[in-house]
Amino acid sequence: MSDERLWARMVDRRSVNRGDQRRAALLEALDELLREQTLEEVNVAEISRRAGVTRSAFYFYFESKATAVLALMAELYDDASDATDLLVKAEGEPRARIRTVVATLFDSVDRTPHTYRALLEARATSPAVRELWEAGRAEFAEMTAEMIERERAVGHAPAGGDAHVLAAVLLDLNDHAVERHAMGVGPEREAHIDAITHIWIQSIYGSTR
């Protein structure tokens, strides 16, 4: 579903599908290099050489190595989209649903922590990446706010402050948590997920249900 969303469509310089072999080779090469180096240390010439293509081929697909990292994180985007869909449907018991959403985000980072660390580096250094990140973030926040408002409207959650502000703050909490997890710091994983789940439940539903 993430391919349908604005921030996902903006990642690539060209409108190509994920099955493009040269594009796939470039992303594989970038992934390999990020296991050995930081994003700052990686250069486009080496990415292209390992992929067996020219530098111009790299720039055909990606504006920069920072935006290429976004494409490399496609699976994480898909997981985030699926988690958001589960969240906003608001079906089933809230605690179990929200914990599943948070655990999915941690799982995504655990699969490729080196690429997530590169994403944090790209976001910190590239205005283009920050803009794309914020576009996706705004979309998720809007969907979460709508879910909160629906839960309030049907009496599942009590009235409260601005749902859009609450959604933004809760997503801030998630972002900070997975960033610390990717860096190998912070609480033990399961305790961290439990604590985040508790804060979400208390903030939206006003109880420990």
Side-chain angles (χ1 to χ4, degrees), residues 34 36 40 75 87 92 99 110 116 122 127 147 153 187 193 202:
L34 289 173
E36 307 162 4
E40 182 179 7
E75 187 173 353
L87 178 69
R99 194 184 194 286
D110 283 339
Y116 193 80
M147 178 275 290
I193 293 172
Q202 287 284 75

Side-chain angles (χ1 to χ4, degrees), residues 52-131:
V53 302
T54 63
R55 281 173 58 95
S56 61
F58 176 91
Y59 289 111
F60 176 85
Y61 295 105
F62 307 112
E63 179 181 329
S64 66
K65 63 183 182 181
T67 52
V69 170
L70 290 176
L72 193 60
M73 298 299 291
E75 187 173 353
L76 182 142
Y77 301 151
D78 287 344
D79 287 346
S81 294
D82 291 343
T84 302
D85 290 339
L86 174 63
L87 178 69
V88 301
K89 287 178 182 177
E91 297 174 351
E93 197 276 323
R95 175 171 293 276
R97 182 179 77 251
I98 290 172
R99 194 184 194 286
T100 297
V101 169
V102 177
T104 296
L105 299 178
F106 274 69
D107 289 343
S108 298
V109 173
D110 283 339
R111 280 197 295 272
T112 56
H114 60 288
T115 52
Y116 193 80
R117 289 192 292 268
L119 174 62
L120 298 179
E121 189 178 349
R123 191 182 68 186
T125 58
S126 168
V129 170
R130 282 197 298 276
E131 181 180 355

Side-chain angles (χ1 to χ4, degrees), residues 3 22-23 30 43 70 79 94 96 116 118 135 138 169 178-179 184 193:
D3 285 341
R22 291 199 305 173
R23 177 181 180 278
L30 175 59
N43 63 73
L70 290 176
D79 287 346
Y116 193 80
V169 172
V178 294
E179 286 174 19
I193 293 172

Side-chain angles (χ1 to χ4, degrees), residues 16-34:
V16 294
N17 62 56
R18 294 182 186 175
D20 186 296
Q21 292 184 348
R22 291 199 305 173
R23 177 181 180 278
L26 285 164
L27 292 179
E28 182 177 354
L30 175 59
D31 180 76
E32 291 174 355
L33 287 165
L34 289 173

Side-chain angles (χ1 to χ4, degrees), residues 99 106 180-181 184-196:
R99 194 184 194 286
F106 274 69
R180 287 178 60 78
H181 185 65
V185 296
E188 181 272 331
R189 178 195 147 108
E190 296 306 308
H192 206 167
I193 293 172
D194 284 341
I196 295 169

Side-chain angles (χ1 to χ4, degrees), residues 112-166:
T112 56
H114 60 288
T115 52
Y116 193 80
R117 289 192 292 268
L119 174 62
L120 298 179
E121 189 178 349
R123 191 182 68 186
T125 58
S126 168
V129 170
R130 282 197 298 276
E131 181 180 355
L132 293 171
W133 176 276
E134 291 302 327
R137 173 62 182 279
E139 189 171 24
F140 287 147
E142 178 65 25
M143 296 171 67
T144 302
E146 290 174 359
M147 178 275 290
I148 294 171
E149 291 174 339
R150 288 198 308 272
E151 289 289 83
R152 290 173 175 177
V154 298
H156 293 166
D162 190 299
H164 290 82
V165 174
L166 177 57

